[in-house]
Amino acid sequence: MPINDALEAVVLSVVARRIAERAAVTEAADPVEFIVNLCRRFPLFARQMQSRQRSRVPMTVEDEYDVQDMLHAILRLSFDDVRAEEHTPSYASNSSRLDFYLPLQRIVVEAKMTRKGLGQRKVVDELLIYVGRYGGMPNVDTLICVIYDPLGECRNPAAIENSGSRLKVRVVVCPRGM
């Protein structure tokens, strides 16, 4: 393919470098571990968004929708195809929408935020429903659940993080160890 001028050569060089960098991040590293590590660092991101420059209004995490919005933005930095609010097949005569689906990686990411009244027991019940629902989807191999727990409602995060089924399940409680 002929290159007509120096500007075109520079643009093609930049595009090629960006493609190579993206491939290095999303293909060389295990995408599941990459997402899990991002989720573990989510509290750092949320805290940084609260301290803005020049007296700007802080971006706070008030509820689960805020967690989902921020997580969506974080995932879009490294993955091109992040589908939000995808409908799921019917499970126990109910269908729902999953938070994020990465079809090329065959990963579903669900985000939860604990609050008064939604502690460890209820979160685990919801996770069991997710495992049943997504375990039957042939195009999903891994379910990653990030549980943002700023108030320390999950008293035993290790018990939640150690779960499994046919579906590869990774649970991240963060911040951990409160």
Side-chain angles (χ1 to χ4, degrees), residues 151-164:
L151 301 176
E153 294 290 320
C154 293
R155 302 289 180 218
N156 187 1
I160 299 173
E161 291 182 357
N162 297 325
S163 60

Side-chain angles (χ1 to χ4, degrees), residues 69-157:
D69 289 339
M70 288 181 175
L71 187 58
H72 192 191
I74 292 169
L75 290 171
R76 291 295 308 245
L77 291 172
S78 299
F79 299 96
D80 288 329
D81 193 358
V82 179
R83 300 179 188 180
E85 299 283 317
E86 283 281 310
H87 287 278
T88 66
S90 178
Y91 175 75
S93 299
N94 293 313
S95 65
S96 67
R97 287 182 282 190
L98 49 84
D99 290 342
F100 306 106
Y101 174 50
L102 287 71
L104 295 175
Q105 292 77 18
R106 301 174 57 93
I107 297 172
V108 169
V109 180
E110 285 288 341
K112 305 295 298 169
M113 180 175 170
T114 60
R115 61 185 182 279
K116 295 292 180 198
L118 184 64
Q120 183 165 327
R121 176 174 288 188
K122 287 187 180 180
V123 167
V124 168
D125 289 346
E126 289 182 19
L127 294 181
L128 290 172
I129 292 169
Y130 294 152
V131 170
R133 178 174 286 133
Y134 305 138
M137 294 175 65
N139 55 343
V140 174
D141 295 329
T142 305
L143 168 63
I144 300 172
C145 300
V146 57
I147 302 167
Y148 183 52
D149 185 28
L151 301 176
E153 294 290 320
C154 293
R155 302 289 180 218
N156 187 1

